Amino acid sequence: MSSFTDLWREISDIGGSPSEGYVRFAWTAVEWELRTWFRAQAKARDLEFEVDGNTTMWATWNPGGVPGPAVVTGSHLDSVPHGGGYDGPLGVVSAFLAVDELRRRGVVPARPIRIAAFAEEEGSRFGVACLGSRLMTGAFDPERARTLTDSDGVTLAEALAGYDFDPARLGPAPLSDVAAFVELHVEQGRALTVPVGIGSSIWPHGRWRMDFTGEGNHAGTTLMGDRHDPMLTYAFAVLAANKEARTHGAHATVGRVAVHPNATNAIPSRVTGWLDARAASASTLDDLLSGLSAKIATRAGKDGTTVTITAESTTGEIGFSDALIERCLTTLGEKTPVLPTGAGHDAGVLSAFVPTVMLFVRNPAGVSHAPAERADDEDCEAGVEALADVLAELACR
Amino acid sequence: MSSFTDLWREISDIGGSPSEGYVRFAWTAVEWELRTWFRAQAKARDLEFEVDGNTTMWATWNPGGVPGPAVVTGSHLDSVPHGGGYDGPLGVVSAFLAVDELRRRGVVPARPIRIAAFAEEEGSRFGVACLGSRLMTGAFDPERARTLTDSDGVTLAEALAGYDFDPARLGPAPLSDVAAFVELHVEQGRALTVPVGIGSSIWPHGRWRMDFTGEGNHAGTTLMGDRHDPMLTYAFAVLAANKEARTHGAHATVGRVAVHPNATNAIPSRVTGWLDARAASASTLDDLLSGLSAKIATRAGKDGTTVTITAESTTGEIGFSDALIERCLTTLGEKTPVLPTGAGHDAGVLSAFVPTVMLFVRNPAGVSHAPAERADDEDCEAGVEALADVLAELACR
């Protein structure tokens, strides 16, 4: 059995299973198990273990005791509800194995190599994606973070205190300590046909709330011609978003809906749907949204309903470091695919502040955020090799 | 001000308001206020007040002290959540006023006239529509009724006990006591263009659960062509149901939906929608369902999803008593409209056991089960007159 298979197996029972998926939310008993595992891995390798004020875990390899900024790798350990096991943990497991590999090769880095595990990357518990890295970069206000509440009404400050983390320590950390950041991640959309690729950018993306308002009424007695049924306009919007995305070569999804009163025998008075849309360029995304909005407005006119579409969050394109992409290509071979992703990552947050790049490992099914998410062990081993190569390149030259 | 306006005003602040709608659930403090009002109305008119084992309230007018079966009128006092004020209470208020009118006319009935207020007609609290009348007729098992639970986990037995009703007394009552039942009700779909009409039947209707299954996946990264998104098939079904209903001159509504995991950034793995469909004949309803099922199955094939459609409840056509309809026409005039309804009623339950008919009062907006449900005071007064005419016809001859 390979070292990857062994180390992977150590966490594969924590917070779920490959068949049922994983529920690994930040600052819970399950995450604490993963934190304990991380600490043990650092200790087993004689790496310096540290937890910073944002509860990011760090394991530092600095055999020469050299000062100066570090080459950072890693990812996150939390999951979406019933998500796959690879999104996040693959980057952390691979980081430890890459250090092992560098040692096996006899590499002595000229600057520190640090492994990071950021907290609450998925935003599954408190609703803010990449919260740990956003706090680190100052992109999210720690005062606001402390008052975020989970679905049980627990504040983030309370959740931290429950594990003896000090909520007062949340906040920006000096990024001058970071020379470069390399995040290895499972690819999430069947975009890779070889084991490993290099990330170029994160697609512009956004979330829009679509509020459809009609007239609540009796499902049995209201004449079809008298109805103002917002469910019809919602259904049209779902299909139109799919069609617009295909037309534009973009991605659009309506995965969340709320209905009032949500009763079998009542025409709803109100339906709210959330649109997630992403595209390779901001102008494509704008075109998609304006085309879709116009079509929905026309349909609402026919349905006798009203619709308002509100942006809840939008993010422009995030390009990774051209210089790092070049050095990855030199190291891994010029034929290595360079590809964008539609997903957000801690690497996307950090890239505004420090040179950043991502490595992707092939996902044969193209499934992510669901139990069927996976990567072959052989591809994961190739990912470890590639990460070791890139870390050697960045930490030794 | 008319006597209708006065009496109507007495309950218009209980459990809501005309602008916000009403939340009048069975066996709650709000319903207890309505029960107190009913009892006071009976007392003010020197009617014999009684509550039976199913918590149906009765007020009996029997000035001659004659024995034998009664002519029963009335309706219910509970509402759907945020429903209108007329659905139910109009029939109870009109019943008291019809007795007043008969007294004013000097009518002495040859058999008892009884006013009934059935409990939990809407099924808003325990999920079973017409529960009071179903228990009375033996159409619902009292043992099962006692264990029904509301959304707070309170059993029906506990709810009853909270108001000193004895759950052990639930069950069938002798229907030989009922000579005829006349339920006056607000019309619910703008089907009446004159103040008062006569009910002919209740449309065949049913509820079907539509389970759409696909593949949960990442909304940002999954290629459009790789998706198996059950929300698309659901949306198609919503629009197709509407179209089929219009084609068949029937009614179809999807007013309730549940999504898993219902997250903005996740393609759902599962969507469940509930279809409410009703038509003038059972064969039309069958045609609607089979046409719709075929279209949805075809679309599911294209979406790479699966769908199963399960009947949760179906009811055939319920015709009211031809003899009573004839007597109503004779009494109210041969030009009085005779019309079916798409809604269920206690009258529909009772009609299988005793001669039953309904009177409808015009609903100018065609809205029901929502705050905008209403009837003009003048039409309600015409309804009281018509009910008095019909009760005189049935109780004196």
Side-chain angles (χ1 to χ4, degrees), chain A residues 309-343:
Chain A
I309 300 179
T310 312
E312 289 200 331
S313 71
T314 57
T315 308
E317 185 179 32
I318 293 166
F320 295 128
S321 159
D322 287 337
L324 289 193
I325 293 167
E326 262 324 303
R327 290 175 75 180
C328 286
L329 280 170
T330 307
T331 308
L332 304 178
E334 294 297 332
K335 288 187 175 165
T336 311
V338 180
L339 66 163
T341 176

Side-chain angles (χ1 to χ4, degrees), chain A residues 210 212 232-242 254 275 292 296 299, chain B residues 239:
Chain A
M210 305 183 288
F212 305 93
L232 298 178
T233 324
Y234 166 78
F236 173 85
V238 168
L239 297 176
N242 187 267
V254 183
L275 170 73
L292 179 61
I296 295 174
R299 172 75 193 210
Chain B
L239 297 177

Side-chain angles (χ1 to χ4, degrees), chain A residues 80-82 87 122 187-191 203 207-208 215-227 229 231-236 238-239 241-243 245-246 250-268 274-276 278 299 312 341-344 365-370 372, chain B residues 80-82 87 122 187-191 203 207-208 215-227 229 231-236 238-239 241-243 245-246 250-268 274-276 278 299 312 341-344 365-370 372:
Chain A
V80 298
H82 306 287
D87 180 347
E122 300 289 4
E187 202 276 321
Q188 295 172 276
R190 234 175 43 150
W203 276 12
R207 295 174 176 197
W208 290 264
E215 184 177 76
N217 215 332
H218 193 296
T221 54
T222 312
L223 305 179
M224 298 308 286
D226 279 350
R227 296 176 177 221
D229 184 351
M231 188 69 90
L232 298 178
T233 324
Y234 166 78
F236 173 85
V238 168
L239 297 176
N242 187 267
K243 194 170 176 184
R246 288 171 184 265
H251 293 173
T253 310
V254 183
R256 179 179 169 205
V257 62
V259 180
H260 182 85
N262 208 31
T264 305
N265 63 350
I267 299 165
W274 281 263
L275 170 73
D276 180 300
R278 322 197 187 201
R299 172 75 193 210
E312 289 200 331
T341 176
V367 175
S368 189
H369 282 191
Chain B
V80 297
H82 307 287
D87 180 346
E122 300 289 3
E187 202 278 320
Q188 295 172 277
R190 233 174 45 149
W203 276 12
R207 296 175 176 196
W208 289 264
E215 185 177 74
N217 215 332
H218 193 296
T221 55
T222 312
L223 305 179
M224 297 309 285
D226 279 351
R227 295 176 178 223
D229 184 351
M231 187 70 88
L232 298 178
T233 324
Y234 166 78
F236 173 85
V238 167
L239 297 177
N242 186 266
K243 195 171 176 185
R246 289 170 184 266
H251 293 173
T253 310
V254 183
R256 180 179 168 204
V257 63
V259 180
H260 182 84
N262 208 31
T264 304
N265 63 350
I267 299 165
W274 281 263
L275 170 72
D276 179 301
R278 322 197 185 200
R299 172 75 193 209
E312 289 199 332
T341 176
V367 175
S368 188
H369 282 192

Side-chain angles (χ1 to χ4, degrees), chain A residues 25-32 35 54-55 119-120 125-126 131-132 135 156 159-160 163 165 170:
Chain A
F25 287 1
W27 310 301
T28 60
V30 164
E31 196 220 29
W32 190 255
R35 286 179 175 271
N54 299 311
T55 79
E120 184 73 343
R125 183 166 178 194
F126 290 101
L131 185 59
L135 285 163
L156 191 141
L160 291 178
Y163 288 91
F165 295 125
L170 293 177

